[in-house]
Amino acid sequence: MNRRDRLSGNEAVAFAMKQINPDVMAAFPITPSTEIPQYFASYVANGEVDTEFVTVESEHSSMSACIGAEAAGARAITATSSAGLALMYEVLYVAASSRLPITLACVNRALSGPININNDHSDSMGARDSGWIQIYSETNQEAYDNFLQAMPIGEDPSVRLPVMVCQDGFITSHAVENIELLDDASVRALVGEYRPENYLLNPETPLAVGPYDISAYYMEHKKQQAEAMKNAKARILKVASEFEKLTGRKYGLFEAYRMEDAELALLLIGSSAGTAKAAVDRLRAAGVRAGLVKLRVFRPFPGEELAETLKNVRALGIMDKSEGFSSCGGPLFAEARGALYNLEKRPLAVNYVYGLGGRDVRVEDFVNIFGELSSIAASGKPGEVYRHIGQRD
Amino acid sequence: MIPKASEINERSSWKEMTQGGEIAGGGTARLVETGQWRSRRPVHLTDKCRQCLLCVPCCPDSSIPVQNGRRSDFDLMHCKGCGICAKVCPFGAIQMCGEVEE
Amino acid sequence: MKEKETVEIRWHGRGGQGTKTACLLLADAAFSSGCYVQGFPEYGPERMGAPITAYNRISRVRNTVHSNIYEPDFVAVVDESLLRSVDVTAGLKEDGAVIVNSAKTPEELRPLLNGYKGKVCSVNASRISRETLGGNFPNTPMLAAVVWVSRVVDPEKFIEDMEASLKHKFATKPHVIEDNLKALDVSMKEVQVG
């Protein structure tokens, strides 16, 4: 039986981890993800899980330990944020290229410097080329649901890729909200058992993992990885449909909110989408054809699907809660606008970089943005395409 | 000359702030009012004080100023009200009182 | 609950006093009475004694807004000494109320509240907690006072839910249950609205 409760995002993810009962957790604390290994450590200490909890000296080591464990045939998980994820950088690539479906709970926090502990997406965006599947959550419910779906996605033989489930630091991770939890049996049915075809701790199939590739081989291995990332899209949708049967909650590659006849739209990620939904509702009540697309899956990037959903929008605001310092716009803008390239008729797209270092964004801010989009649609000209909002000029 | 830390606040524009958040000027910790953290306040009972200065190095926030070998009243802009000074004073010359009159 | 769709509450306290706990307990109470809730603290440099802020949104329908709260309906001040350094009534709606843990009467508090024109309430939560719980734990009496003034949940239902929750948590310590219930009860009776 599903049950109603109220939990913070961190509590919810730790609870999901408990229900999954993985073999190994190797983690190092960092604000605002610390509570995840902290709560999970209580479960371990109380004998509520069988997990081997490996305390490590740094995040580079926590990912390395996860790689060793997963390659050995165990389910390995970890959690981190910001500089912790950055410290894992080198080995994130190894986890993906070794085709190990490790799951990582990323509680999004700004990268230093200057040092900042508050939310933005610079940490996970900085890892977007590492080969990890990246799924973003708007709420504690989504963080919980996404974490439960992560292993069935990553462990599928057509995928075999690690999965990063992201939630906004403090805004989601430390905020208690209503949530609906699955019962343990349903979680076990959903995640099943991890049965890799080949693993180190199988004496019948001796194996070595993590080779040196001369140039004669590297390109082919990367081509395999690229195909796996393409396959992940279908697998994500399949798992979502199984999840819907269990819970009634629908997930896809993104959520299209009031987009059916939208002329003005936003594309954004994470908790701000919730705030923006309130702005969309306010505008719709005033007769404005506003809508938004909340991107759930950033890797693999659902370019074709986004183009299809956005093709009739006249003016589109693509919101980035991180900088890429391309000098042309943020990372979501670059990828989304690229996806729109082949459309015969394209929306006028502008980029808003916002919310860096936890800078708050309000319903009124989104209402103002829609106002700008309306002028852009009317004039037919995007004006300045790469914009920052919320800073003191 | 980049702007001093004392010239920058939460109303400064991005053009007015230093590049990369560099902090110009020495002893800038003095500008941060940590006295707001206090819920108890130390009171100096001068008639009991023998000027032994034992309290001075024990204060974790360097909030007991000394001039000409004598301590004066507490620096309440920085004193966080931890009460260590009152504990170490051998003469009971420091009393911790509520920050708010009850 | 009132006609308003969403009630927004801001708490001011000092680190280590249980302000965050009070905020989450209010979220709990509202959840138990069937509301959609948000309870979240604002974080910065964290030390015992540093001023902290926490927020609640309580609504009948799910609220998707995740920004901070700028125009609260109610403000609770758990530590009176904050009044001199924090503008606790900033943005507070005039048809709302501020509830302060203090021995002062509402009339005595009003001049310290930066010209706020709405309801000023006071309850000596520190004294009540010292008498009922044996120490300065103002968050429980403050929670009761906030419920009483705001009516985000029905006060009787609130006491019932708290009793059930206390009985669950302190099953082996009946006196703790009684003491806490007394703290809640006394606070609701003593809160002055001015």
Side-chain angles (χ1 to χ4, degrees), chain A residues 2 149 182 186 190 237-251:
Chain A
N2 298 340
Q149 294 174 66
L182 281 72
S186 300
L190 176 70
L237 293 173
K238 176 105 194 340
V239 172
S241 96
E242 281 164 25
F243 193 82
E244 189 185 350
K245 293 195 194 100
L246 273 177
T247 64
R249 291 190 288 280
K250 269 174 101 70
Y251 286 97

Side-chain angles (χ1 to χ4, degrees), chain C:
Chain C
M1 211 181 82
K2 317 161 49 173
E3 320 75 48
K4 277 202 175 146
E5 277 272 299
T6 300
V7 177
E8 295 183 323
I9 299 172
R10 186 171 69 213
W11 298 77
H12 292 281
R14 291 186 184 281
Q17 283 176 335
T19 305
K20 174 185 166 186
T21 306
C23 165
L24 297 183
L25 282 174
L26 183 62
D28 268 8
F31 170 78
S32 300
S33 70
C35 297
Y36 284 93
V37 300
Q38 288 180 13
F40 54 101
E42 199 173 293
Y43 284 88
E46 288 169 71
R47 301 287 150 76
M48 295 280 284
I52 68 144
T53 321
Y55 303 94
N56 288 105
R57 277 193 181 93
I58 296 166
S59 47
R60 286 192 190 290
V61 293
R62 184 177 294 279
N63 198 319
T64 60
V65 175
H66 291 111
S67 69
N68 283 340
I69 290 172
Y70 296 92
E71 290 175 356
D73 297 289
F74 300 98
V75 165
V77 182
V78 179
D79 189 317
E80 194 182 350
S81 66
L82 287 168
L83 295 182
R84 71 187 66 193
S85 50
V86 178
D87 183 11
V88 299
T89 55
L92 178 56
K93 298 204 173 84
E94 258 187 43
D95 63 348
V98 57
I99 303 126
V100 184
N101 169 20
S102 173
K104 300 186 170 71
T105 64
E107 294 72 44
E108 289 168 331
L109 282 169
R110 195 176 281 280
L112 307 171
L113 293 167
N114 212 6
Y116 177 61
K117 296 193 175 55
K119 273 196 266 206
V120 175
C121 311
S122 75
V123 62
N124 199 339
S126 293
R127 193 210 86 231
I128 292 170
S129 66
R130 271 195 289 272
E131 286 171 3
T132 55
L133 302 168
N136 187 18
F137 309 119
N139 57 345
T140 307
M142 278 303 289
L143 177 61
V146 168
V147 168
W148 181 258
V149 173
S150 71
R151 302 295 160 120
V152 278
V153 291
D154 174 65
E156 262 184 53
K157 177 99 186 17
F158 166 70
I159 298 288
E160 274 171 34
D161 289 334
M162 286 299 286
E163 191 170 349
S165 150
L166 288 164
K167 282 193 170 135
H168 180 70
K169 262 194 217 159
F170 298 110
T172 53
K173 299 180 187 168
H175 73 93
V176 173
I177 302 171
E178 279 167 35
D179 294 344
N180 274 285
L181 287 174
K182 185 128 199 296
L184 298 172
D185 185 58
V186 172
S187 176
M188 284 197 188
K189 294 197 163 81
E190 284 195 16
V191 59
Q192 299 173 54
V193 180

